[in-house]
Amino acid sequence: MNKDQNRLVENDLQYLQLLSKTFPTVAAASTEIINLEAILNLPKGTEHFLADIHGAYESFQHVLKNASGNIKRKVNDIFGNQIRDCELRDLCTLIYYPEQKLEMVKAAEEDLNDWYHITIHQLVKVCREVSSKYTRSKVRKSLPKDFSYIIQELLQERPEDLDKAGYVNAVIDSMIETDRADDFIITISNVIQRLAIDQLHILGDIYDRGPGAHRILDMLENYHSWDIQWGNHDVLWMGACAGNDACICNVVRICLRYANMTTLEDGYGINLVPLATFALETYGDDPCAEFIPKTSGGTGFIDEKTRRLGAMMHKAISVIQFKVEAEVFKKYPQWKMKDRMLFNNVDYEKGICTIGGKEYEMKSCNFPTIDPKNPNKLTKEEKELMEKLHHSFVVSEKLHKHIDLLLGHGCMYNITNNNLLYHASVPLNDDGTLKEVELYGGKKYKGKELMHQTGLLIRSAFQSDSLPEEKEYARDYFLYLWCGPDSTLFDKSKMATFERYFLKDESTHKEHKGNYFKLRDNEEVCDRILDAFGVKQPNRHIINGHVPVHAASGENPIKANGKLMVIDGGFSQAYHKETGIAGYTLVYHSRGFVLVQHEPFTNEEDAVMRGTDIKSSTQIVEMSTYRMLVADTDKGDELRGQITYLKKLLYAYRHGLVKEYR
């Protein structure tokens, strides 16, 4: 280093002193530099992008277990024509569901020891293949303690090494004799699943419609590496957890709409008995025809009595929701949403609702809890019911645990490897320029700063040191994020829930999309957004979900000449008829981008019993002219930064600026 470099080292001396605690000698620092330089030349890890899971736990779990079909492809590549198709299918099923498949094999297999030998050799080959792009250190860290040494030994052995054949067979024999073969198979299958996906990105909306959101979050709690960009449905549940009564009403209403009480009652222990009691007493004579639950969200058949009660509860919470929302809209005139206080526009004698100066006929006009002179006032019974629901949400430990998980792994947007990720939109003006949106304190933001400040506002609702007035605004703002016209998570003219329930004229049900959705196929607009977020590299992309892609009608998820990818293909069963498919997974590996289009998944039992897999088709989105390395990623930038400081530490050691700890 020259004099200028020497000065730089001296300026970093305090940091280098701290670094020397981890690398106390020249040898240790040198070894780490060699290690990091080598890692830079490994192939880039595989990233998976999923959006809008909507409680479809079994489909989500299966996609992670089969790595969007990547494990099956590797098994086919390894064994090809060596084994029969049924054996390939059984091996894949074993990797996806080892515990369940082992039970079936042990009940049917005549020569179990022979099966163990063959299968363990096959699993080791698959594991060797999926681990080939990682360092031994990273692979070792992914191994459970019990079998770490054995798996490492087996991964290093090669079939052509005849001298070690007896050693390998002895290892397998010992596992069989000590009744550890099953545990080993389960462990190595899980390791294969773990190594097949290096990083999981979820672009929002884990919650609502399907019954398994809480199970998805239980699974993610122990998942090795994942992040989430919050969606409007996630934020709705955050608001409910924070004590926003309008969000609580919306959460309960959506669960009732899709006949999905599992997440509320079984997942989070929310007590709905008071709502059921109130609904029976208040709407017992009302057919509640507009509120019959939908059963296309994966909940299956429900009997007529349950359906009838669900409809009454659905109407009861909806009426309360519109009242509670109206008070929030009135509280914040700057939101410009007072036109959504639609109970004010109803003529309860004529059964009409006036919107924009035009009268619309109501489907029904039975509102026993509404005072026409003060339509947004809760009755005493409604107020007591809301107090009970509010208490049930804010004291749910499991719900708070899962919301903390979303806060810990999530944000409004993410930039990773030249890809800009967010759930829904970036508000735009008519001409495609970034639109300013007002947040707390009257301050206006746009683009990246709008996303950042919105994220900070969301977090302030859960922080004990937030100013009381800011915390109150943040808690209320969850409602705007859910349905506000300029919300980055909604971006439509209105949420026409009231109109769909109560107005006959379907033209009133239309929700006009914001400028982002009108202009997102424009490459220039996408470039402007990417520039605003500081994504500068030539091969850059926007990836988001939120609005389902209607693949059945020919809509292309790849837009703006490949600059933008919409990966909401409808994971939830409630969307399958609308989209014609059952979800997308975007896979970004060392060769480029592949979009995987999934057909509906049956269930875990069928997958284990019959070896059924999610049928998927792939579309090559963009392939690299060379195989991308860790050096080409954000991780590579991080490692180069570490190497720079380690070299400075070496200089400091060798010139006596920092002492070695020998």
Side-chain angles (χ1 to χ4, degrees):
M1 290 187 181
N2 56 33
K3 289 183 179 179
D4 290 337
Q5 290 171 317
N6 184 56
R7 195 177 303 114
L8 285 172
V9 170
E10 290 177 348
N11 290 339
D12 290 325
L13 207 54
Q14 189 173 10
Y15 176 74
L16 295 177
Q17 292 281 5
L18 288 171
L19 192 60
S20 70
K21 305 294 184 185
T22 305
F23 305 101
T25 64
V26 167
S30 300
T31 299
E32 184 65 7
I33 291 171
I34 295 167
N35 178 47
L36 297 181
E37 292 277 13
I39 291 173
L40 288 172
N41 290 282
L42 286 170
K44 171 194 174 297
T46 300
E47 298 173 77
H48 272 52
F49 303 80
L50 282 79
D52 302 86
I53 302 160
H54 285 302
Y57 168 74
E58 288 197 336
S59 296
F60 173 74
Q61 175 188 235
H62 191 79
V63 164
L64 291 195
K65 285 179 174 294
N66 79 354
S68 295
N70 193 41
I71 289 175
K72 185 177 183 179
R73 286 190 291 273
K74 288 189 179 296
V75 169
N76 282 327
D77 289 343
I78 294 166
F79 299 106
N81 298 322
Q82 298 176 31
I83 60 178
R84 294 175 299 172
D85 287 345
C86 61
E87 293 172 323
L88 286 170
R89 188 168 59 248
D90 285 343
L91 180 58
C92 288
T93 304
L94 179 67
I95 294 171
Y96 309 155
Y97 303 100
E99 294 96 334
Q100 299 91 323
K101 188 63 177 177
L102 275 167
E103 289 183 14
M104 290 180 57
V105 170
K106 290 165 75 174
E109 185 61 51
E110 294 179 1
D111 191 342
L112 195 57
N113 283 6
D114 185 54
W115 181 87
Y116 278 133
H117 269 277
I118 293 170
T119 302
I120 289 173
H121 277 292
Q122 291 173 338
L123 291 172
V124 169
K125 284 183 180 180
V126 178
C127 191
R128 187 181 295 129
E129 175 66 20
V130 297
S131 65
S132 61
K133 64 168 63 175
Y134 304 116
T135 63
R136 289 186 183 182
S137 173
K138 183 165 184 173
V139 173
R140 184 174 64 251
K141 289 174 183 176
S142 71
L143 303 177
K145 185 178 179 181
D146 285 356
F147 289 105
S148 178
Y149 174 75
I150 294 173
I151 293 176
Q152 288 179 72
E153 284 288 293
L154 294 177
L155 289 180
Q156 302 314 311
E157 303 310 325
R158 297 291 171 180
E160 60 271 17
D161 190 351
L162 298 177
D163 294 335
K164 288 288 190 73
Y167 167 75
V168 172
N169 286 328
V171 170
I172 297 173
D173 283 334
S174 295
M175 285 193 288
I176 296 170
E177 289 172 7
T178 56
D179 291 328
R180 294 286 281 162
D182 286 4
D183 293 331
F184 178 83
I185 288 171
I186 292 167
T187 298
I188 197 168
S189 296
N190 290 331
V191 169
I192 291 168
Q193 294 177 31
R194 155 72 178 83
L195 295 175
I197 300 175
D198 192 42
Q199 178 72 24
L200 173 65
H201 306 287
I202 300 175
L203 278 74
D205 280 1
I206 289 174
Y207 280 100
D208 289 332
R209 294 191 172 89
H214 58 294
R215 298 180 68 191
I216 291 169
L217 283 158
D218 281 340
M219 184 178 181
L220 288 172
E221 185 178 6
N222 298 308
Y223 198 74
H224 59 272
S225 186
W226 65 282
D227 56 72
I228 181 170
Q229 293 69 58
W230 304 317
N232 53 320
H233 287 267
D234 305 315
V235 161
L236 184 67
W237 280 77
M238 288 181 181
C241 181
N244 181 315
D245 285 346
C247 291
I248 289 171
C249 289
N250 272 283
V251 162
V252 175
R253 177 185 62 80
I254 292 170
C255 288
L256 286 162
R257 178 175 174 79
Y258 290 92
N260 168 28
M261 298 294 100
T262 306
T263 301
L264 276 177
E265 296 181 315
D266 299 344
Y268 298 128
I270 304 300
N271 183 11
L272 296 180
V273 172
L275 174 58
T277 303
F278 172 81
L280 281 166
E281 292 173 351
T282 309
Y283 298 98
D285 297 327
D286 188 334
C288 299
E290 302 82 21
F291 296 89
I292 301 298
K294 296 176 180 288
T295 56
S296 59
T299 52
F301 173 80
I302 57 173
D303 61 64
E304 185 55 35
K305 184 178 179 181
T306 304
R307 186 188 301 272
R308 174 86 179 98
L309 176 59
M312 289 186 283
M313 293 169 69
H314 188 182
K315 182 169 184 176
I317 199 64
S318 298
V319 171
I320 295 172
Q321 173 193 312
F322 297 130
K323 289 183 177 184
V324 173
E325 286 179 345
E327 293 305 311
V328 181
F329 298 149
K330 183 179 177 182
K331 184 178 178 181
Y332 298 104
Q334 65 269 35
W335 292 359
K336 299 177 183 177
M337 294 184 70
K338 293 175 79 172
D339 62 331
R340 300 307 300 157
M341 301 166 62
L342 291 177
F343 276 148
N344 291 352
N345 300 8
V346 176
D347 185 321
Y348 294 92
E349 290 185 2
K350 295 181 179 179
I352 60 171
C353 180
T354 303
I355 301 176
K358 186 176 179 181
E359 294 182 349
Y360 295 95
E361 185 181 354
M362 304 278 286
K363 294 178 183 178
S364 65
C365 202
N366 180 28
F367 298 108
T369 70
I370 287 183
D371 175 3
K373 296 179 181 178
N374 192 359
N376 298 311
K377 183 179 180 181
L378 295 176
T379 65
K380 180 186 175 203
E381 291 77 16
E382 287 175 324
K383 191 177 293 185
E384 289 174 353
L385 171 60
M386 276 311 306
E387 287 172 356
K388 291 174 182 177
L389 284 172
H390 179 100
H391 177 76
S392 202
F393 272 87
V394 298
V395 302
S396 171
E397 291 184 13
K398 186 70 171 286
L399 177 58
H400 278 271
K401 179 182 178 182
H402 283 171
I403 297 305
D404 285 345
L405 199 63
L406 293 181
L407 291 167
H409 286 261
C411 54
M412 287 295 294
Y413 74 97
N414 188 17
I415 299 170
T416 175
N417 295 328
N418 303 320
N419 298 308
L420 172 59
L421 320 180
Y422 50 82
H423 174 67
S425 80
V426 175
L428 300 175
N429 296 309
D430 292 344
D431 62 358
T433 56
L434 300 176
K435 184 176 185 178
E436 288 191 328
V437 177
E438 183 178 321
L439 293 182
Y440 175 67
K443 294 181 180 178
K444 293 185 176 182
Y445 306 94
K446 60 184 179 179
K448 181 178 180 180
E449 191 62 19
L450 173 61
M451 291 276 201
H452 176 67
Q453 293 296 331
T454 301
L456 293 179
L457 189 61
I458 287 171
R459 294 183 190 281
S460 69
F462 298 96
Q463 292 167 349
S464 58
D465 58 350
S466 299
L467 295 173
E469 57 271 22
E470 182 180 6
K471 192 167 187 175
E472 180 182 355
Y473 183 88
R475 185 171 59 245
D476 291 340
Y477 195 70
F478 282 112
L479 178 60
Y480 189 88
L481 286 170
W482 167 244
C483 62
D486 288 329
S487 163
T488 60
L489 298 177
F490 183 63
D491 199 4
K492 294 181 185 178
S493 59
K494 64 181 180 182
M495 185 174 284
T497 310
F498 182 97
E499 290 89 335
R500 285 194 297 270
Y501 284 143
F502 297 124
L503 303 188
K504 290 185 177 181
D505 190 334
E506 292 188 2
S507 68
T508 65
H509 304 178
K510 182 69 176 176
E511 300 172 347
H512 298 286
K513 295 176 182 177
N515 287 320
Y516 175 82
F517 300 105
K518 298 174 186 176
L519 300 172
R520 64 182 179 176
D521 209 10
N522 185 315
E523 191 173 351
E524 184 181 338
V525 169
C526 290
D527 279 329
R528 185 179 295 128
I529 293 171
L530 287 162
D531 287 342
F533 279 80
V535 187
K536 300 296 185 185
Q537 297 302 317
N539 291 328
R540 57 186 187 167
H541 311 88
I542 296 170
I543 307 173
N544 64 266
H546 184 58
V547 178
V549 175
H550 295 80
S553 59
E555 183 181 357
N556 192 344
I558 312 303
K559 303 181 184 298
N561 197 26
K563 287 284 175 71
L564 187 145
M565 302 177 228
V566 183
I567 61 169
D568 178 6
F571 252 91
S572 172
Q573 187 178 329
Y575 283 123
H576 292 180
K577 186 176 180 180
E578 179 182 344
T579 62
I581 60 173
Y584 289 117
T585 309
L586 185 67
V587 180
Y588 185 26
H589 50 60
S590 59
R591 303 290 185 186
F593 281 100
V594 174
L595 188 70
V596 184
Q597 178 178 303
H598 304 292
E599 293 184 16
F601 179 59
T602 50
N603 53 60
E604 181 180 313
E605 182 182 359
D606 196 51
V608 175
M609 294 290 293
R610 298 175 181 82
T612 56
D613 205 340
I614 290 182
K615 292 181 181 179
S616 306
S617 57
T618 60
Q619 174 184 346
I620 295 175
V621 178
E622 180 180 293
M623 298 307 287
S624 176
T625 55
Y626 64 97
R627 192 173 194 190
M628 286 175 282
L629 306 177
V630 173
D632 303 310
T633 67
D634 294 342
K635 185 65 177 178
D637 292 338
E638 181 186 326
L639 295 181
R640 281 188 288 271
Q642 293 176 21
I643 289 168
T644 297
Y645 275 102
L646 285 164
K647 287 181 176 178
K648 288 182 179 182
L649 180 60
L650 281 181
Y651 179 91
Y653 279 146
R654 287 166 176 162
H655 289 78
L657 298 172
V658 176
K659 292 183 179 180
E660 293 184 75
Y661 293 89
R662 293 184 181 276

